[in-house]
Amino acid sequence: MLNKSLINTNIRIAAEKRIFALVNPNKERMNPYKLTVIALATLAMAATRPDEALAQKTGSLKVEFMSSSLDSLIIHCQRSNYNQTQLDGFRVQIYSGSGIKSKEEAAQAQARFIMSFPEQKAYIIYNAPFWRVRVGDFRSRSEAMTLLQKVKHTFSGSYIVRDNTVRKKNFRQ
């Protein structure tokens, strides 16, 4: 029984890797909801029509059969992605500290940053026991790198961090 479930798990993982390779040949980072919907649709097709399930045409997935329940699932995921306000993005962390005076030090670091860069947003984040100051809202690491180069002179210990609380409306168009 254990070997059978292990084999089924390995088959599922191999199928997911194959689907990901078909859907995303450039290995770009994809929305997990979109990938899940595509994987479910493909696996459902494989169960009903195994000969037509994984048709490949220039790096894209060709879907020939779609049930109404899968169609409604895709529409639901599209709507939830459209209404999503927070995304994975990048910020520059200019301060991190813990201790008795770390809250005041974080506020001072935020104030110094705002004085130097009034066009950028600065956020104080508390995650026990650390107080952190993160600045900027960037979609990619390379966008955050330009701010990091400017900030390094004033805040020497600064570095880029991935942050999943970046709001879409804060991105510059």
Side-chain angles (χ1 to χ4, degrees):
M1 185 71 170
L2 180 64
N3 289 340
K4 187 175 182 181
S5 66
L6 184 62
I7 291 170
N8 289 339
T9 303
N10 289 340
I11 291 171
R12 182 184 54 79
I13 292 170
E16 288 174 356
K17 287 181 180 178
R18 171 87 191 274
I19 291 165
F20 186 77
L22 290 173
V23 173
N24 194 1
N26 298 332
K27 308 252 189 291
E28 296 172 356
R29 190 164 178 218
M30 283 187 73
N31 185 328
Y33 296 114
K34 181 178 179 181
L35 185 60
T36 303
V37 168
I38 291 170
L40 287 173
T42 306
L43 291 174
M45 287 176 5
T48 57
R49 295 183 179 181
D51 55 332
E52 300 175 8
L54 295 174
Q56 185 174 3
K57 184 177 180 181
T58 63
S60 64
L61 184 65
K62 181 179 171 186
V63 178
E64 294 184 11
F65 172 77
M66 181 91 68
S67 70
S68 61
S69 60
L70 287 175
D71 194 31
S72 64
L73 180 62
I74 290 172
I75 290 170
H76 172 71
C77 287
Q78 286 174 340
R79 286 184 183 151
S80 67
N81 289 340
Y82 180 77
N83 294 330
Q84 186 178 10
T85 59
Q86 295 179 339
L87 301 171
D88 282 340
F90 294 89
R91 290 189 172 141
V92 177
Q93 183 164 308
I94 61 172
Y95 173 81
S96 177
S98 65
I100 297 172
K101 295 184 180 182
S102 60
K103 183 177 181 180
E104 291 83 20
E105 291 171 356
Q108 289 171 0
Q110 181 187 31
R112 281 190 317 171
F113 177 80
I114 291 173
M115 293 282 282
S116 301
F117 303 95
E119 71 280 356
Q120 293 288 339
K121 295 188 179 192
Y123 307 93
I124 295 180
I125 300 165
Y126 178 69
N127 190 1
F130 295 101
W131 288 91
R132 296 180 173 104
V133 179
R134 293 182 177 173
V135 297
D137 295 302
F138 303 103
R139 285 178 240 179
S140 66
R141 185 176 292 277
S142 61
E143 290 176 4
M145 187 62 75
T146 58
L147 180 63
L148 178 65
Q149 297 303 323
K150 295 175 187 175
V151 169
K152 274 280 196 192
H153 303 294
T154 309
F155 302 94
S156 59
S158 302
Y159 56 95
I160 297 173
V161 294
R162 182 181 297 274
D163 198 329
N164 63 352
T165 60
V166 177
R167 297 187 172 272
K168 275 199 267 189
K169 67 179 183 177
N170 294 342
F171 287 144
R172 293 205 170 110
Q173 299 298 331

